[in-house]
Amino acid sequence: MNTVLDSIRSEALFASTLQRSQSPTPELIREVVTTTVDRLGEARCAEVVAQEFGEHPDCALGRMRWARNAVRNAFA
């Protein structure tokens, strides 16, 4: 796996409105990652992640764990 690409994808999924509770399919995750990067750009996705970790570190950690695992599975 490309760790830089995985990080960008994870940040994009984190920054999206998609929720773990929606039980998204790998296809939906790939689509959401692509549209979020297209809409926000890589830098803005990273900014959203940083902002959330600053404001809500307790929630952000769980969301990032989910995003990283979801990206690994969806892009495997």
Side-chain angles (χ1 to χ4, degrees):
M1 278 189 199
N2 183 329
T3 56
V4 172
L5 191 53
D6 284 348
S7 292
I8 293 166
R9 289 171 172 164
S10 296
E11 290 170 353
L13 183 57
F14 182 102
S16 76
T17 59
L18 190 65
Q19 298 296 313
R20 172 183 7 200
S21 61
Q22 293 173 281
S23 300
T25 63
E27 294 81 14
L28 181 57
I29 290 168
R30 289 191 296 268
E31 179 183 329
V32 166
V33 165
T34 300
T35 58
T36 303
V37 171
D38 288 347
R39 183 172 51 87
L40 298 179
E42 294 174 20
R44 181 65 185 131
C45 288
E47 290 170 5
V48 169
V49 171
Q51 180 179 359
E52 286 301 309
F53 268 91
E55 293 177 5
H56 309 284
D58 51 329
C59 298
L61 183 59
R63 180 155 176 87
M64 182 52 81
R65 283 185 182 140
W66 167 74
R68 292 177 66 84
N69 287 330
V71 163
R72 280 191 201 112
N73 292 330
F75 289 90

